[in-house]
Amino acid sequence: MVRKLLVTGGAGFIGSNFVHHVLSHTDDHVTVLDKLTYAGNLASLEGLPADRFRFVRGDIADADLVDGLFADVDAVVHYAAESHNDNSLNDPRPFLDTNIIGTYTLLEAARRHDRRLHHISTDEVYGDLELDDPARFTEHTPYNPSSPYSSTKAGSDLLVRAWVRSFGVRATISNCSNNYGPYQHVEKFIPRQITNVLQGIRPRLYGKGENVRDWIHADDHSSAVLTILDRGVVGETYLIGADGEKDNRTVVELILTLLGQEPDAYDHVTDRAGHDLRYAIDSTKLRRELGWTPQYQDFDAGLRATIDWYRDHESWWAPTKDGVEAFYASKGQ
Ligand code: NAD
Ligand code: TDX
């Protein structure tokens, strides 16, 4: 059956990847609702089939706008968020407005119109793990978020669960680990370091660089979300991860090496306040119950392709680079 989907935050890094993925793997029609904050970029949505794609600029917290859009679709995939931890430490307010009130607004519309909703979330809701802890996060790990960003994402997840239980809203949730790939904003770790090296700036590692992130390519995140939308059980949560644990120092050294620099040509800078030590995802449930597998098993190859993309798409990222670096410089980072 051909569906009409509403994708919130579809002009962002992962949302735009999903829109491209859905339109090339299905006959579905997609409407993107995106506010085009500093993180949204229409250039990430170029080349889509005009007869199956529509863009609406607006805020997910605008109840009237959201109500009209829900009336016209079969299902909603909710990516829109304020997504950057460092920004949330600087000014938490937009995180509450979008991640909490925005998600609440969508849930109320899903309830009124009885629409299927998939909510995109993060592994950061579970807090962090010790470096030597053999455990990984599962769907049963207790919530323990650290930052204003992750606490508002945790709050949004709990709202979704409450609307499922109290009002019978047909929703699923996924919590994914750190994504990498093309079209990621240069404020984030991997694109920041790649574009630094391309501009002759030394990469910046927070603290000692021992922190571990569990990297997954954005294409694999998108295939997982489409799998959950197609076959996921309403009311369930699925963790998405691709066994990609790496410490930050290793990633920076790899970027430098792949760009032909000495691997130690980076600087240690002021650590992030409350910096989570390690994230690690056990995605057994998604793999066993829904049959999903990631395609990108080779991080070096995925990173090399990502570096090539940033080298070839300077016009996409250059307009935002100076502002991002000025913000970090003001924080000693
Ligand atoms: P992003 O910052 O690149 O994009 C966010 C998008 O949402 C932008 O296009 C922005 O304009 C839009 N937006 C923000 N506020 C809005 C509002 N009030 N109304 C409408 N649109 C609004 O973020 P991303 O990295 O693509 O993350 C997308 C989602 O995936 C988020 O929910 C995030 O929590 C989640 N997630 C991200 C990662 C990651 O590694 N980046 C990992 C796991 C989960
Ligand atoms: O310049 C930097 N130097 C550095 O050492 C930056 C920007 C980051 N870091 C470190 C902090 C983290 O340990 O790199 C790691 C990754 O940082 P981010 O890219 O800011 O990601 P993180 O805070 O881990 O959160 C990301 O993954 C989970 C996304 O931004 C979230 O939206 C998602 O929920």
Side-chain angles (χ1 to χ4, degrees):
M1 192 195 80
V2 173
R3 290 173 294 205
K4 288 203 271 182
L5 301 179
L6 178 66
V7 178
T8 72
F13 165 46
I14 312 178
S16 63
N17 185 291
F18 179 76
V19 171
H20 283 279
H21 185 86
V22 167
L23 290 172
S24 62
H25 287 82
T26 73
D27 294 324
D28 292 346
H29 291 239
V30 171
T31 299
V32 164
L33 170 61
D34 197 294
K35 190 178 174 182
L36 294 180
T37 67
Y38 79 96
N41 191 338
L42 281 180
S44 307
L45 291 168
E46 282 169 3
L48 295 168
D51 57 332
R52 292 194 292 132
F53 172 70
R54 181 167 75 113
F55 181 82
V56 176
R57 183 172 191 177
D59 193 325
I60 57 166
D62 178 341
D64 290 339
L65 174 65
V66 163
D67 198 69
L69 292 170
F70 269 62
D72 195 35
V73 295
D74 303 304
V76 179
V77 186
H78 172 34
Y79 287 90
E82 286 295 333
S83 70
H84 194 38
N85 275 300
D86 293 320
N87 292 343
S88 82
L89 295 165
N90 190 53
D91 179 13
R93 178 63 200 236
F95 290 74
L96 288 137
D97 291 338
T98 290
N99 301 358
I100 301 283
I101 300 298
T103 301
Y104 155 76
T105 307
L106 299 176
L107 284 166
E108 283 292 80
R111 170 153 91 113
R112 260 194 310 278
H113 294 279
D114 186 24
R115 293 297 186 261
R116 170 90 169 83
L117 177 87
H118 181 68
H119 174 64
I120 304 294
S121 192
T122 169
D123 58 359
E124 296 190 22
V125 299
Y126 300 115
D128 60 354
L129 298 161
E130 294 298 327
L131 293 179
D132 58 357
D133 188 343
R136 300 191 290 172
F137 299 137
T138 74
E139 288 77 5
H140 303 292
T141 305
Y143 275 41
N144 187 27
S146 312
S147 73
Y149 163 67
S150 54
S151 62
T152 58
K153 290 299 290 188
S156 68
D157 293 9
L158 299 181
L159 291 176
V160 175
R161 290 184 183 190
W163 261 244
V164 169
R165 175 152 175 175
S166 302
F167 305 122
V169 166
R170 293 180 292 127
T172 40
I173 300 174
S174 55
N175 299 80
C176 188
S177 59
N178 283 62
N179 285 220
Y180 74 99
Y183 297 103
Q184 186 169 27
H185 197 279
V186 294
E187 69 189 357
K188 302 296 198 305
F189 178 54
I190 287 181
R192 183 181 184 207
Q193 312 313 338
I194 293 172
T195 55
N196 274 359
V197 178
L198 291 175
Q199 291 200 327
I201 306 169
R202 285 165 72 89
R204 309 274 200 257
L205 206 49
Y206 293 174
K208 291 187 195 155
E210 287 173 339
N211 309 63
V212 170
R213 296 295 182 265
D214 189 354
W215 294 101
I216 180 173
H217 196 282
D219 290 359
D220 281 332
H221 189 178
S222 292
S223 71
V225 169
L226 189 57
T227 300
I228 297 166
L229 194 63
D230 288 342
R231 301 199 289 279
V233 177
V234 163
E236 292 292 314
T237 290
Y238 299 90
L239 263 55
I240 305 173
D243 303 329
E245 281 187 69
K246 298 251 179 302
D247 66 53
N248 293 339
R249 197 164 44 211
T250 302
V251 175
V252 160
E253 289 173 0
L254 191 54
I255 290 170
L256 282 160
T257 305
L258 290 171
L259 280 163
Q261 309 284 316
E262 291 301 321
D264 61 353
Y266 60 83
D267 293 326
H268 292 277
V269 294
T270 311
D271 206 355
R272 174 182 285 171
H275 197 174
D276 279 342
L277 201 48
R278 172 173 161 250
Y279 306 137
I281 288 268
D282 178 348
S283 58
T284 305
K285 176 179 175 180
L286 177 63
R287 295 175 195 233
R288 285 226 184 109
E289 294 185 8
L290 304 187
W292 172 80
T293 42
Q295 298 303 306
Y296 285 80
Q297 306 285 2
D298 181 346
F299 181 73
D300 291 22
L303 188 61
R304 188 177 291 115
T306 303
I307 289 172
D308 288 345
W309 187 88
Y310 280 93
R311 195 193 271 116
D312 295 343
H313 292 80
E314 192 173 336
S315 62
W316 184 88
W317 56 264
T320 54
K321 180 69 179 166
D322 288 352
V324 166
E325 289 308 316
F327 168 74
Y328 281 128
S330 74
K331 307 282 169 199
Q333 295 179 319

